[in-house]
Amino acid sequence: MLSPPSSAQQRLTELRHLLQQASYEYYVLDAPTMEDAVYDRLYRELQALEQQYPDWITPDSPTQRVGEKSASQFHSGQHNIPLYSLENAFDYGELKDWEQRWQRVEEAQIPTTQAPATQTPGILLNPTQPYAYVCELKIDGNALALTYENGVLVRGMTRGDGIRGEDITQNVKTIRTIPLRLQIDRPPKWLEIRGEAFLPLSSFDAINQERQTKGEALFANPRNAAAGTLRQLDSKIVAQRKLDFFAYTLHWLVEDGEEFPEESLEDAPEEGKTAAVQPRSQWQALEFLQAMGFRVNPHREYCPDLNAVTAYCDRWNEARHDLPYMTDGVVIKLDSMDLQERLGFTQKFPRWAIAYKYPAEEVPTVLEDLTFQVGRTGAVTPVAELRPVLLAGTTVSRATLHNADRLAELDLHRGDTVVVRKAGEIIPEVLRVLPELRPPGAPPCALPSHCPACGSILVRPEGEAVTRCVNSSCPAIVRGSLMHWVSRGALDINNVGEKLLAQLLETGLVHSIADLYNLTVEQLLQLDRMGQKSAEKVVAAIATSKAQPWSRVLYGLGIRLVGSVNAQTLSQAFPTVEQLAAAEPSAIASVYGIGSEIAQSVQEWFQIPSNQALVAALQAAGLSFSGDVTPLPPIADTPIAGKTFVITGTLPTLKRDQVKTMIQQAGGKVTDSVSKKTDYVVVGTEAGSKLEKAQTLGITILSEEEFLELMF
Ligand code: IVH
């Protein structure tokens, strides 16, 4: 074995330590202190050293997070300590029953003389301080058991049946919020940490979107997606999927294993580290987990009694929908570990904890009919028309079925009883079918062969999940295109809404976007309930839209994959429509931020004769197809230059779009979702999860007024 010189050995240790600390600050604390480029350089230095001295690679080295592809399947293994599940309570009465049950057990164990002074004789224990609870959000993910030996992560297992689970150590290591080495001085020889691995909603959406474009089956919910990800054989894929982890309990061996090392009074812990002291309460345990480098859910609460517990449950019933991950209830644990030990377990559950579950978000109902929506891109989406049912506080009567594959996968028949699910902001969807309840002779559901709106034959390009109508004069497509054209982000024609458009199409006054610009007051007066004043306003609003810049016109055309951000980018790179229409896909794709799929879509769009005719007609009508926006100020001079903004909520005076244009003109960038790369979040009233995320990430939050101050 080739031993490195001691200077190299020291460098190896230093690098590991430095990188581990940087990664902890970045992922767990959301407070990076090291520039990405510096991290990359040091990481590569470590990799090079380890390549030179492979025997010196340690399992906790930051280079060991993503490993090789596992050859076959995972191995099952026995849990060191079984993983119990939790008893459920569905209302506060059941919580009260549980409290009385554990108090009776406790009462039977403690002779009255030893009972705390607060106990009222003859009545059950008085639930004051010694019997406090800790409330934690119940994260809807997958439980993991992580074993640390001498502070180093050696095994990560799924829950399985609680007795045996699957060894998925390689994948667990890719989760950046799980430390490979505990940040603790003199760690116990053996420690097991339990917690919930989950997929943040944004990652879940991104994964499903990607699967949809690839024509793959969609994950029904973030929990399934997390479970599927954890069992991926290729840990590189797992690493890309951005799983996260909240730690919630820790366990140590006391009998024949090593005792938890008591804090030695003589040896102070190493600087910046906590000494390993066996926690005696759940609250301490959570703090200890945090000190060891884990992410612990910040929304935990110490509750002195059951009233405080139900207040917590009430509060989070609403607030949980604004969290960036899914929760399905509250876990209530008795804080005192002595009490936990005294109460012990029933056959299935700990007596000292319970899960309060929020009202069902999955309910059965009947599929009464199947309809098909044709979007502005021609995509045909099957929609389940359901017998109305109350679900998580709202009545649901329709649910999306995504595409033909999903229909086939569900094996849906008309009249079927289906399970519908609604989760947070995710639109309701049909989760599964209960085939036992299928009425005899129920016909299977399939996508039609012809467009329900225009009757032309539908097309499903090979390798795609989406079935489309490709007739550009299909009324559903025309209607969708018009709706998009007048929408806020596009030409923003306020006075033309859905109803007016429907009338215009029905009466034949309008067949395409360009026809809007030929409308006269006289023609509009023919419509039902249209007065002189309104008609004049409509014509004026349409005329005003001619002043909108090229970027908005481009967005308004509704080219697949060209959203408002891409339209902005493209309109700057191609100052005239002629240049864009003539550009090769490779030239379009060479624009920063534009991928080859977008480039392909743009090129295809401009090749279609009816689209060319539309552009010509709109040019003739006087819309701008060149020379973007007002000239940009010297970008480097503005405090906004190079900064990334997210705008959320309703602002007191400015429209979101106005703010966006102001930022872009000053050289800043506006994106839709908050991430670590966001510099500022401009917030109005009713800002939801974006504000919360910005707060957790410590991003500067600006009111409209503060934003204007920064601008001018
Ligand atoms: S404690 C014996 N705490 O809920 C203690 N569980 O329905 C068991 N879960 O299997 C776990 N968040 O997967 C606990 N803060 C939390 C939790 C939590 C989610 C899950 C966990 C468990 C299931 C029980």
mmCIF file with all atom_site columns, all heavy atoms in Angstrom, residues 638-640 645 654 658-659 661-667 702 704-712:
data_model
loop_
_atom_site.group_PDB
_atom_site.id
_atom_site.type_symbol
_atom_site.label_atom_id
_atom_site.label_alt_id
_atom_site.label_comp_id
_atom_site.label_asym_id
_atom_site.label_entity_id
_atom_site.label_seq_id
_atom_site.pdbx_PDB_ins_code
_atom_site.Cartn_x
_atom_site.Cartn_y
_atom_site.Cartn_z
_atom_site.occupancy
_atom_site.B_iso_or_equiv
_atom_site.pdbx_formal_charge
_atom_site.auth_seq_id
_atom_site.auth_comp_id
_atom_site.auth_asym_id
_atom_site.auth_atom_id
_atom_site.pdbx_PDB_model_num
ATOM 1   N N   . THR A 1 638 ? -26.629 49.669 -12.773 1.00 0.00 ? 638 THR A N   1
ATOM 2   C CA  . THR A 1 638 ? -27.814 49.601 -11.925 1.00 0.00 ? 638 THR A CA  1
ATOM 3   C C   . THR A 1 638 ? -27.615 48.597 -10.790 1.00 0.00 ? 638 THR A C   1
ATOM 4   O O   . THR A 1 638 ? -26.909 47.605 -10.955 1.00 0.00 ? 638 THR A O   1
ATOM 5   C CB  . THR A 1 638 ? -29.060 49.189 -12.741 1.00 0.00 ? 638 THR A CB  1
ATOM 6   O OG1 . THR A 1 638 ? -28.976 47.788 -12.960 1.00 0.00 ? 638 THR A OG1 1
ATOM 7   C CG2 . THR A 1 638 ? -29.155 49.921 -14.056 1.00 0.00 ? 638 THR A CG2 1
ATOM 8   N N   . PRO A 1 639 ? -28.234 48.870 -9.626  1.00 0.00 ? 639 PRO A N   1
ATOM 9   C CA  . PRO A 1 639 ? -28.067 47.924 -8.500  1.00 0.00 ? 639 PRO A CA  1
ATOM 10  C C   . PRO A 1 639 ? -28.797 46.607 -8.779  1.00 0.00 ? 639 PRO A C   1
ATOM 11  O O   . PRO A 1 639 ? -28.653 45.644 -8.042  1.00 0.00 ? 639 PRO A O   1
ATOM 12  C CB  . PRO A 1 639 ? -28.708 48.669 -7.319  1.00 0.00 ? 639 PRO A CB  1
ATOM 13  C CG  . PRO A 1 639 ? -29.615 49.688 -7.925  1.00 0.00 ? 639 PRO A CG  1
ATOM 14  C CD  . PRO A 1 639 ? -29.067 50.019 -9.272  1.00 0.00 ? 639 PRO A CD  1
ATOM 15  N N   . ILE A 1 640 ? -29.593 46.578 -9.824  1.00 0.00 ? 640 ILE A N   1
ATOM 16  C CA  . ILE A 1 640 ? -30.405 45.420 -10.158 1.00 0.00 ? 640 ILE A CA  1
ATOM 17  C C   . ILE A 1 640 ? -29.629 44.484 -11.095 1.00 0.00 ? 640 ILE A C   1
ATOM 18  O O   . ILE A 1 640 ? -29.935 43.312 -11.211 1.00 0.00 ? 640 ILE A O   1
ATOM 19  C CB  . ILE A 1 640 ? -31.693 45.924 -10.875 1.00 0.00 ? 640 ILE A CB  1
ATOM 20  C CG1 . ILE A 1 640 ? -32.359 47.021 -10.080 1.00 0.00 ? 640 ILE A CG1 1
ATOM 21  C CG2 . ILE A 1 640 ? -32.615 44.822 -11.318 1.00 0.00 ? 640 ILE A CG2 1
ATOM 22  C CD1 . ILE A 1 640 ? -33.413 46.638 -9.146  1.00 0.00 ? 640 ILE A CD1 1
ATOM 23  N N   . PHE A 1 645 ? -34.650 37.991 -9.466  1.00 0.00 ? 645 PHE A N   1
ATOM 24  C CA  . PHE A 1 645 ? -35.828 38.358 -8.677  1.00 0.00 ? 645 PHE A CA  1
ATOM 25  C C   . PHE A 1 645 ? -36.952 37.341 -8.840  1.00 0.00 ? 645 PHE A C   1
ATOM 26  O O   . PHE A 1 645 ? -37.095 36.726 -9.897  1.00 0.00 ? 645 PHE A O   1
ATOM 27  C CB  . PHE A 1 645 ? -36.396 39.698 -9.172  1.00 0.00 ? 645 PHE A CB  1
ATOM 28  C CG  . PHE A 1 645 ? -35.583 40.895 -8.788  1.00 0.00 ? 645 PHE A CG  1
ATOM 29  C CD1 . PHE A 1 645 ? -34.390 41.176 -9.436  1.00 0.00 ? 645 PHE A CD1 1
ATOM 30  C CD2 . PHE A 1 645 ? -36.006 41.743 -7.785  1.00 0.00 ? 645 PHE A CD2 1
ATOM 31  C CE1 . PHE A 1 645 ? -33.632 42.281 -9.082  1.00 0.00 ? 645 PHE A CE1 1
ATOM 32  C CE2 . PHE A 1 645 ? -35.263 42.861 -7.421  1.00 0.00 ? 645 PHE A CE2 1
ATOM 33  C CZ  . PHE A 1 645 ? -34.077 43.132 -8.064  1.00 0.00 ? 645 PHE A CZ  1
ATOM 34  N N   . LEU A 1 654 ? -48.298 48.571 -8.241  1.00 0.00 ? 654 LEU A N   1
ATOM 35  C CA  . LEU A 1 654 ? -47.765 48.092 -9.518  1.00 0.00 ? 654 LEU A CA  1
ATOM 36  C C   . LEU A 1 654 ? -48.323 46.718 -9.877  1.00 0.00 ? 654 LEU A C   1
ATOM 37  O O   . LEU A 1 654 ? -48.627 45.922 -8.996  1.00 0.00 ? 654 LEU A O   1
ATOM 38  C CB  . LEU A 1 654 ? -46.241 47.977 -9.439  1.00 0.00 ? 654 LEU A CB  1
ATOM 39  C CG  . LEU A 1 654 ? -45.463 49.275 -9.259  1.00 0.00 ? 654 LEU A CG  1
ATOM 40  C CD1 . LEU A 1 654 ? -44.005 48.963 -8.977  1.00 0.00 ? 654 LEU A CD1 1
ATOM 41  C CD2 . LEU A 1 654 ? -45.578 50.122 -10.523 1.00 0.00 ? 654 LEU A CD2 1
ATOM 42  N N   . GLN A 1 658 ? -45.429 44.852 -14.658 1.00 0.00 ? 658 GLN A N   1
ATOM 43  C CA  . GLN A 1 658 ? -44.691 46.123 -14.738 1.00 0.00 ? 658 GLN A CA  1
ATOM 44  C C   . GLN A 1 658 ? -43.369 45.993 -13.995 1.00 0.00 ? 658 GLN A C   1
ATOM 45  O O   . GLN A 1 658 ? -42.326 46.410 -14.480 1.00 0.00 ? 658 GLN A O   1
ATOM 46  C CB  . GLN A 1 658 ? -45.520 47.244 -14.099 1.00 0.00 ? 658 GLN A CB  1
ATOM 47  C CG  . GLN A 1 658 ? -46.721 47.632 -14.934 1.00 0.00 ? 658 GLN A CG  1
ATOM 48  C CD  . GLN A 1 658 ? -47.572 48.652 -14.182 1.00 0.00 ? 658 GLN A CD  1
ATOM 49  O OE1 . GLN A 1 658 ? -48.020 48.399 -13.080 1.00 0.00 ? 658 GLN A OE1 1
ATOM 50  N NE2 . GLN A 1 658 ? -47.791 49.806 -14.790 1.00 0.00 ? 658 GLN A NE2 1
ATOM 51  N N   . VAL A 1 659 ? -43.437 45.371 -12.811 1.00 0.00 ? 659 VAL A N   1
ATOM 52  C CA  . VAL A 1 659 ? -42.227 45.189 -12.011 1.00 0.00 ? 659 VAL A CA  1
ATOM 53  C C   . VAL A 1 659 ? -41.213 44.370 -12.806 1.00 0.00 ? 659 VAL A C   1
ATOM 54  O O   . VAL A 1 659 ? -40.019 44.672 -12.864 1.00 0.00 ? 659 VAL A O   1
ATOM 55  C CB  . VAL A 1 659 ? -42.562 44.492 -10.678 1.00 0.00 ? 659 VAL A CB  1
ATOM 56  C CG1 . VAL A 1 659 ? -41.312 44.213 -9.878  1.00 0.00 ? 659 VAL A CG1 1
ATOM 57  C CG2 . VAL A 1 659 ? -43.528 45.346 -9.866  1.00 0.00 ? 659 VAL A CG2 1
ATOM 58  N N   . THR A 1 661 ? -40.909 44.033 -16.071 1.00 0.00 ? 661 THR A N   1
ATOM 59  C CA  . THR A 1 661 ? -40.279 44.798 -17.147 1.00 0.00 ? 661 THR A CA  1
ATOM 60  C C   . THR A 1 661 ? -39.239 45.753 -16.575 1.00 0.00 ? 661 THR A C   1
ATOM 61  O O   . THR A 1 661 ? -38.138 45.889 -17.116 1.00 0.00 ? 661 THR A O   1
ATOM 62  C CB  . THR A 1 661 ? -41.360 45.582 -17.926 1.00 0.00 ? 661 THR A CB  1
ATOM 63  O OG1 . THR A 1 661 ? -42.436 44.690 -18.177 1.00 0.00 ? 661 THR A OG1 1
ATOM 64  C CG2 . THR A 1 661 ? -40.832 46.141 -19.221 1.00 0.00 ? 661 THR A CG2 1
ATOM 65  N N   . MET A 1 662 ? -39.569 46.397 -15.448 1.00 0.00 ? 662 MET A N   1
ATOM 66  C CA  . MET A 1 662 ? -38.614 47.335 -14.849 1.00 0.00 ? 662 MET A CA  1
ATOM 67  C C   . MET A 1 662 ? -37.313 46.617 -14.509 1.00 0.00 ? 662 MET A C   1
ATOM 68  O O   . MET A 1 662 ? -36.217 47.116 -14.764 1.00 0.00 ? 662 MET A O   1
ATOM 69  C CB  . MET A 1 662 ? -39.218 47.939 -13.568 1.00 0.00 ? 662 MET A CB  1
ATOM 70  C CG  . MET A 1 662 ? -40.272 48.985 -13.844 1.00 0.00 ? 662 MET A CG  1
ATOM 71  S SD  . MET A 1 662 ? -41.350 49.239 -12.423 1.00 0.00 ? 662 MET A SD  1
ATOM 72  C CE  . MET A 1 662 ? -40.383 50.315 -11.450 1.00 0.00 ? 662 MET A CE  1
ATOM 73  N N   . ILE A 1 663 ? -37.448 45.412 -13.921 1.00 0.00 ? 663 ILE A N   1
ATOM 74  C CA  . ILE A 1 663 ? -36.257 44.656 -13.526 1.00 0.00 ? 663 ILE A CA  1
ATOM 75  C C   . ILE A 1 663 ? -35.445 44.278 -14.760 1.00 0.00 ? 663 ILE A C   1
ATOM 76  O O   . ILE A 1 663 ? -34.232 44.472 -14.820 1.00 0.00 ? 663 ILE A O   1
ATOM 77  C CB  . ILE A 1 663 ? -36.656 43.397 -12.728 1.00 0.00 ? 663 ILE A CB  1
ATOM 78  C CG1 . ILE A 1 663 ? -37.272 43.790 -11.392 1.00 0.00 ? 663 ILE A CG1 1
ATOM 79  C CG2 . ILE A 1 663 ? -35.445 42.484 -12.531 1.00 0.00 ? 663 ILE A CG2 1
ATOM 80  C CD1 . ILE A 1 663 ? -37.928 42.651 -10.636 1.00 0.00 ? 663 ILE A CD1 1
ATOM 81  N N   . GLN A 1 664 ? -36.164 43.781 -15.767 1.00 0.00 ? 664 GLN A N   1
ATOM 82  C CA  . GLN A 1 664 ? -35.451 43.324 -16.959 1.00 0.00 ? 664 GLN A CA  1
ATOM 83  C C   . GLN A 1 664 ? -34.743 44.483 -17.650 1.00 0.00 ? 664 GLN A C   1
ATOM 84  O O   . GLN A 1 664 ? -33.623 44.348 -18.131 1.00 0.00 ? 664 GLN A O   1
ATOM 85  C CB  . GLN A 1 664 ? -36.425 42.622 -17.896 1.00 0.00 ? 664 GLN A CB  1
ATOM 86  C CG  . GLN A 1 664 ? -36.764 41.235 -17.369 1.00 0.00 ? 664 GLN A CG  1
ATOM 87  C CD  . GLN A 1 664 ? -37.950 40.607 -18.076 1.00 0.00 ? 664 GLN A CD  1
ATOM 88  O OE1 . GLN A 1 664 ? -38.758 41.297 -18.692 1.00 0.00 ? 664 GLN A OE1 1
ATOM 89  N NE2 . GLN A 1 664 ? -38.062 39.304 -17.975 1.00 0.00 ? 664 GLN A NE2 1
ATOM 90  N N   . GLN A 1 665 ? -35.411 45.636 -17.663 1.00 0.00 ? 665 GLN A N   1
ATOM 91  C CA  . GLN A 1 665 ? -34.788 46.776 -18.327 1.00 0.00 ? 665 GLN A CA  1
ATOM 92  C C   . GLN A 1 665 ? -33.559 47.260 -17.571 1.00 0.00 ? 665 GLN A C   1
ATOM 93  O O   . GLN A 1 665 ? -32.676 47.876 -18.137 1.00 0.00 ? 665 GLN A O   1
ATOM 94  C CB  . GLN A 1 665 ? -35.802 47.901 -18.478 1.00 0.00 ? 665 GLN A CB  1
ATOM 95  C CG  . GLN A 1 665 ? -36.834 47.532 -19.527 1.00 0.00 ? 665 GLN A CG  1
ATOM 96  C CD  . GLN A 1 665 ? -37.782 48.674 -19.838 1.00 0.00 ? 665 GLN A CD  1
ATOM 97  O OE1 . GLN A 1 665 ? -37.684 49.743 -19.263 1.00 0.00 ? 665 GLN A OE1 1
ATOM 98  N NE2 . GLN A 1 665 ? -38.695 48.431 -20.751 1.00 0.00 ? 665 GLN A NE2 1
ATOM 99  N N   . ALA A 1 666 ? -33.532 46.978 -16.283 1.00 0.00 ? 666 ALA A N   1
ATOM 100 C CA  . ALA A 1 666 ? -32.375 47.407 -15.494 1.00 0.00 ? 666 ALA A CA  1
ATOM 101 C C   . ALA A 1 666 ? -31.319 46.304 -15.425 1.00 0.00 ? 666 ALA A C   1
ATOM 102 O O   . ALA A 1 666 ? -30.397 46.363 -14.620 1.00 0.00 ? 666 ALA A O   1
ATOM 103 C CB  . ALA A 1 666 ? -32.828 47.799 -14.108 1.00 0.00 ? 666 ALA A CB  1
ATOM 104 N N   . GLY A 1 667 ? -31.475 45.299 -16.270 1.00 0.00 ? 667 GLY A N   1
ATOM 105 C CA  . GLY A 1 667 ? -30.446 44.267 -16.360 1.00 0.00 ? 667 GLY A CA  1
ATOM 106 C C   . GLY A 1 667 ? -30.598 43.133 -15.370 1.00 0.00 ? 667 GLY A C   1
ATOM 107 O O   . GLY A 1 667 ? -29.702 42.316 -15.204 1.00 0.00 ? 667 GLY A O   1
ATOM 108 N N   . LEU A 1 702 ? -38.464 42.167 -0.327  1.00 0.00 ? 702 LEU A N   1
ATOM 109 C CA  . LEU A 1 702 ? -38.722 43.580 -0.554  1.00 0.00 ? 702 LEU A CA  1
ATOM 110 C C   . LEU A 1 702 ? -40.210 43.836 -0.691  1.00 0.00 ? 702 LEU A C   1
ATOM 111 O O   . LEU A 1 702 ? -40.911 43.078 -1.363  1.00 0.00 ? 702 LEU A O   1
ATOM 112 C CB  . LEU A 1 702 ? -38.060 44.035 -1.865  1.00 0.00 ? 702 LEU A CB  1
ATOM 113 C CG  . LEU A 1 702 ? -36.548 43.881 -2.015  1.00 0.00 ? 702 LEU A CG  1
ATOM 114 C CD1 . LEU A 1 702 ? -36.133 44.267 -3.417  1.00 0.00 ? 702 LEU A CD1 1
ATOM 115 C CD2 . LEU A 1 702 ? -35.823 44.755 -1.001  1.00 0.00 ? 702 LEU A CD2 1
ATOM 116 N N   . GLU A 1 704 ? -43.107 46.566 -2.173  1.00 0.00 ? 704 GLU A N   1
ATOM 117 C CA  . GLU A 1 704 ? -43.089 47.364 -3.399  1.00 0.00 ? 704 GLU A CA  1
ATOM 118 C C   . GLU A 1 704 ? -42.265 48.634 -3.180  1.00 0.00 ? 704 GLU A C   1
ATOM 119 O O   . GLU A 1 704 ? -41.449 49.012 -4.011  1.00 0.00 ? 704 GLU A O   1
ATOM 120 C CB  . GLU A 1 704 ? -44.527 47.703 -3.798  1.00 0.00 ? 704 GLU A CB  1
ATOM 121 C CG  . GLU A 1 704 ? -44.583 48.531 -5.064  1.00 0.00 ? 704 GLU A CG  1
ATOM 122 C CD  . GLU A 1 704 ? -45.998 48.952 -5.400  1.00 0.00 ? 704 GLU A CD  1
ATOM 123 O OE1 . GLU A 1 704 ? -46.808 48.067 -5.723  1.00 0.00 ? 704 GLU A OE1 1
ATOM 124 O OE2 . GLU A 1 704 ? -46.290 50.165 -5.328  1.00 0.00 ? 704 GLU A OE2 1
ATOM 125 N N   . GLU A 1 705 ? -42.507 49.245 -2.005  1.00 0.00 ? 705 GLU A N   1
ATOM 126 C CA  . GLU A 1 705 ? -41.810 50.490 -1.712  1.00 0.00 ? 705 GLU A CA  1
ATOM 127 C C   . GLU A 1 705 ? -40.289 50.284 -1.667  1.00 0.00 ? 705 GLU A C   1
ATOM 128 O O   . GLU A 1 705 ? -39.529 51.050 -2.250  1.00 0.00 ? 705 GLU A O   1
ATOM 129 C CB  . GLU A 1 705 ? -42.307 50.968 -0.355  1.00 0.00 ? 705 GLU A CB  1
ATOM 130 C CG  . GLU A 1 705 ? -42.279 52.457 -0.204  1.00 0.00 ? 705 GLU A CG  1
ATOM 131 C CD  . GLU A 1 705 ? -42.731 52.824 1.202   1.00 0.00 ? 705 GLU A CD  1
ATOM 132 O OE1 . GLU A 1 705 ? -43.700 52.201 1.692   1.00 0.00 ? 705 GLU A OE1 1
ATOM 133 O OE2 . GLU A 1 705 ? -42.094 53.695 1.803   1.00 0.00 ? 705 GLU A OE2 1
ATOM 134 N N   . GLU A 1 706 ? -39.876 49.215 -0.985  1.00 0.00 ? 706 GLU A N   1
ATOM 135 C CA  . GLU A 1 706 ? -38.433 48.941 -0.887  1.00 0.00 ? 706 GLU A CA  1
ATOM 136 C C   . GLU A 1 706 ? -37.845 48.633 -2.254  1.00 0.00 ? 706 GLU A C   1
ATOM 137 O O   . GLU A 1 706 ? -36.727 49.007 -2.578  1.00 0.00 ? 706 GLU A O   1
ATOM 138 C CB  . GLU A 1 706 ? -38.196 47.769 0.070   1.00 0.00 ? 706 GLU A CB  1
ATOM 139 C CG  . GLU A 1 706 ? -38.468 48.133 1.516   1.00 0.00 ? 706 GLU A CG  1
ATOM 140 C CD  . GLU A 1 706 ? -38.586 46.914 2.407   1.00 0.00 ? 706 GLU A CD  1
ATOM 141 O OE1 . GLU A 1 706 ? -39.014 45.841 1.936   1.00 0.00 ? 706 GLU A OE1 1
ATOM 142 O OE2 . GLU A 1 706 ? -38.244 47.038 3.589   1.00 0.00 ? 706 GLU A OE2 1
ATOM 143 N N   . PHE A 1 707 ? -38.644 47.961 -3.073  1.00 0.00 ? 707 PHE A N   1
ATOM 144 C CA  . PHE A 1 707 ? -38.192 47.641 -4.426  1.00 0.00 ? 707 PHE A CA  1
ATOM 145 C C   . PHE A 1 707 ? -37.951 48.937 -5.198  1.00 0.00 ? 707 PHE A C   1
ATOM 146 O O   . PHE A 1 707 ? -36.933 49.115 -5.862  1.00 0.00 ? 707 PHE A O   1
ATOM 147 C CB  . PHE A 1 707 ? -39.222 46.757 -5.132  1.00 0.00 ? 707 PHE A CB  1
ATOM 148 C CG  . PHE A 1 707 ? -39.034 46.707 -6.617  1.00 0.00 ? 707 PHE A CG  1
ATOM 149 C CD1 . PHE A 1 707 ? -37.967 46.011 -7.169  1.00 0.00 ? 707 PHE A CD1 1
ATOM 150 C CD2 . PHE A 1 707 ? -39.896 47.376 -7.472  1.00 0.00 ? 707 PHE A CD2 1
ATOM 151 C CE1 . PHE A 1 707 ? -37.769 45.980 -8.535  1.00 0.00 ? 707 PHE A CE1 1
ATOM 152 C CE2 . PHE A 1 707 ? -39.701 47.358 -8.837  1.00 0.00 ? 707 PHE A CE2 1
ATOM 153 C CZ  . PHE A 1 707 ? -38.639 46.668 -9.367  1.00 0.00 ? 707 PHE A CZ  1
ATOM 154 N N   . LEU A 1 708 ? -38.919 49.884 -5.100  1.00 0.00 ? 708 LEU A N   1
ATOM 155 C CA  . LEU A 1 708 ? -38.789 51.133 -5.838  1.00 0.00 ? 708 LEU A CA  1
ATOM 156 C C   . LEU A 1 708 ? -37.580 51.935 -5.357  1.00 0.00 ? 708 LEU A C   1
ATOM 157 O O   . LEU A 1 708 ? -36.899 52.577 -6.135  1.00 0.00 ? 708 LEU A O   1
ATOM 158 C CB  . LEU A 1 708 ? -40.077 51.956 -5.721  1.00 0.00 ? 708 LEU A CB  1
ATOM 159 C CG  . LEU A 1 708 ? -41.255 51.325 -6.488  1.00 0.00 ? 708 LEU A CG  1
ATOM 160 C CD1 . LEU A 1 708 ? -42.558 52.029 -6.171  1.00 0.00 ? 708 LEU A CD1 1
ATOM 161 C CD2 . LEU A 1 708 ? -41.004 51.328 -7.994  1.00 0.00 ? 708 LEU A CD2 1
ATOM 162 N N   . GLU A 1 709 ? -37.320 51.824 -4.040  1.00 0.00 ? 709 GLU A N   1
ATOM 163 C CA  . GLU A 1 709 ? -36.149 52.512 -3.499  1.00 0.00 ? 709 GLU A CA  1
ATOM 164 C C   . GLU A 1 709 ? -34.864 51.960 -4.100  1.00 0.00 ? 709 GLU A C   1
ATOM 165 O O   . GLU A 1 709 ? -33.955 52.685 -4.439  1.00 0.00 ? 709 GLU A O   1
ATOM 166 C CB  . GLU A 1 709 ? -36.112 52.287 -1.992  1.00 0.00 ? 709 GLU A CB  1
ATOM 167 C CG  . GLU A 1 709 ? -36.436 53.546 -1.209  1.00 0.00 ? 709 GLU A CG  1
ATOM 168 C CD  . GLU A 1 709 ? -36.533 53.223 0.260   1.00 0.00 ? 709 GLU A CD  1
ATOM 169 O OE1 . GLU A 1 709 ? -35.626 52.495 0.756   1.00 0.00 ? 709 GLU A OE1 1
ATOM 170 O OE2 . GLU A 1 709 ? -37.504 53.643 0.860   1.00 0.00 ? 709 GLU A OE2 1
ATOM 171 N N   . LEU A 1 710 ? -34.849 50.653 -4.252  1.00 0.00 ? 710 LEU A N   1
ATOM 172 C CA  . LEU A 1 710 ? -33.671 49.994 -4.809  1.00 0.00 ? 710 LEU A CA  1
ATOM 173 C C   . LEU A 1 710 ? -33.496 50.389 -6.282  1.00 0.00 ? 710 LEU A C   1
ATOM 174 O O   . LEU A 1 710 ? -32.382 50.565 -6.778  1.00 0.00 ? 710 LEU A O   1
ATOM 175 C CB  . LEU A 1 710 ? -33.869 48.476 -4.690  1.00 0.00 ? 710 LEU A CB  1
ATOM 176 C CG  . LEU A 1 710 ? -32.734 47.572 -5.100  1.00 0.00 ? 710 LEU A CG  1
ATOM 177 C CD1 . LEU A 1 710 ? -31.611 47.679 -4.098  1.00 0.00 ? 710 LEU A CD1 1
ATOM 178 C CD2 . LEU A 1 710 ? -33.208 46.117 -5.159  1.00 0.00 ? 710 LEU A CD2 1
ATOM 179 N N   . MET A 1 711 ? -34.630 50.533 -6.965  1.00 0.00 ? 711 MET A N   1
ATOM 180 C CA  . MET A 1 711 ? -34.608 50.837 -8.386  1.00 0.00 ? 711 MET A CA  1
ATOM 181 C C   . MET A 1 711 ? -34.096 52.242 -8.664  1.00 0.00 ? 711 MET A C   1
ATOM 182 O O   . MET A 1 711 ? -33.339 52.471 -9.593  1.00 0.00 ? 711 MET A O   1
ATOM 183 C CB  . MET A 1 711 ? -36.036 50.762 -8.956  1.00 0.00 ? 711 MET A CB  1
ATOM 184 C CG  . MET A 1 711 ? -36.504 49.405 -9.391  1.00 0.00 ? 711 MET A CG  1
ATOM 185 S SD  . MET A 1 711 ? -35.634 48.728 -10.785 1.00 0.00 ? 711 MET A SD  1
ATOM 186 C CE  . MET A 1 711 ? -36.038 49.844 -12.089 1.00 0.00 ? 711 MET A CE  1
ATOM 187 N N   . PHE A 1 712 ? -34.605 53.197 -7.870  1.00 0.00 ? 712 PHE A N   1
ATOM 188 C CA  . PHE A 1 712 ? -34.365 54.608 -8.270  1.00 0.00 ? 712 PHE A CA  1
ATOM 189 C C   . PHE A 1 712 ? -33.529 55.376 -7.249  1.00 0.00 ? 712 PHE A C   1
ATOM 190 O O   . PHE A 1 712 ? -33.625 55.193 -6.092  1.00 0.00 ? 712 PHE A O   1
ATOM 191 C CB  . PHE A 1 712 ? -35.709 55.327 -8.471  1.00 0.00 ? 712 PHE A CB  1
ATOM 192 C CG  . PHE A 1 712 ? -36.534 54.659 -9.525  1.00 0.00 ? 712 PHE A CG  1
ATOM 193 C CD1 . PHE A 1 712 ? -37.654 53.915 -9.196  1.00 0.00 ? 712 PHE A CD1 1
ATOM 194 C CD2 . PHE A 1 712 ? -36.160 54.712 -10.857 1.00 0.00 ? 712 PHE A CD2 1
ATOM 195 C CE1 . PHE A 1 712 ? -38.405 53.289 -10.174 1.00 0.00 ? 712 PHE A CE1 1
ATOM 196 C CE2 . PHE A 1 712 ? -36.915 54.083 -11.834 1.00 0.00 ? 712 PHE A CE2 1
ATOM 197 C CZ  . PHE A 1 712 ? -38.043 53.367 -11.495 1.00 0.00 ? 712 PHE A CZ  1
#
